[in-house]
Amino acid sequence: ALELMEAKVLKETRNNLNRLNNAEIANMTRTAEASAEACDAIHKLEKHGMLSHMSDAVQETARLRLEYPEYNLEQLRELHSRPISKSGLYHRLNKLINEARCRDEDERCVNSALTEALTEALAKGGIENGMIRAFGTRRKHIILAGEDETGDKITSPKLRSAIERAI
C-alpha cells in the first residue's frame, strides 16, 4: 500500500511538473511570436516612412521592441522613459501592427492629400505635433484616426474644435 501511495505521489508530481513546463513553453512561444510580428510591422512602417509620423511614445515603444525582441511585455514596459501599463504597451504594439497591416492590405488605404490638408488645418487649429490619417472616402464619409502630441486619441470633439478654429 505504501508503494502504491508513493507511485501515485510520484506520478502526480511528474504530471504537475509537465503541466508547468508546458505552460512556460507556451508563454515563451506566444511572446516570441508576438515579438516577431511587432518587429516585422515596425520594419514595414520604417520602410514606408510611416514610423517617423507616429507619436514619440509609439516610436519609443517601436525602438525598444526592436532592441529587446526577447523581452515580454512586463520587461519591456519597465524600459520606457515614462510609466506605462502592460495594457498600454499592448495597445501601442497593436497600433504598430495594425498600421503595417493597412499598408499590406491596401496601399491606398491612407488618403495622403486629405491627410496633409487635415494635418495643416489641425495645426492652424491648435493641434500641433499630432498625427492624423484620413482613410479613403466611402459614401462621402471620411474615417479619421489620430493622436495628439501626448499620444492620446484625437476625439471627434477635439477634431471639430480644431477644424472650427482653423476655418
Side-chain angles (χ1 to χ4, degrees), residues 46-112:
E46 285 177 330
K47 177 183 172 187
H48 293 290
M50 293 178 67
L51 187 60
S52 62
H53 297 289
M54 299 182 108
S55 71
D56 290 342
V58 172
Q59 287 184 45
E60 177 185 26
T61 296
R63 181 184 55 78
L64 289 170
R65 173 42 77 204
L66 290 178
E67 280 184 44
Y68 302 95
E70 72 281 5
Y71 279 22
N72 62 31
L73 291 181
E74 180 64 31
Q75 294 167 318
L76 198 61
R77 80 173 191 85
E78 292 173 358
L79 298 174
H80 281 73
S81 60
R82 289 189 166 166
I84 184 170
S85 66
K86 280 174 46 175
S87 173
L89 180 57
Y90 173 81
H91 288 291
R92 282 187 194 170
L93 291 168
N94 265 349
K95 175 182 257 180
L96 291 163
I97 290 166
N98 289 334
E99 280 284 332
R101 281 185 186 150
C102 180
R103 288 301 293 181
D104 281 348
E105 291 170 8
D106 183 2
E107 285 291 318
R108 293 165 287 160
C109 65
V110 175
N111 185 327
S112 299

Side-chain angles (χ1 to χ4, degrees), residues 142-161:
I142 300 167
I143 300 168
L144 299 174
E147 59 186 44
D148 61 20
E149 58 275 358
T150 64
D152 293 333
K153 285 184 180 176
I154 297 175
T155 61
S156 294
K158 280 185 184 177
L159 284 170
R160 194 174 304 113
S161 173

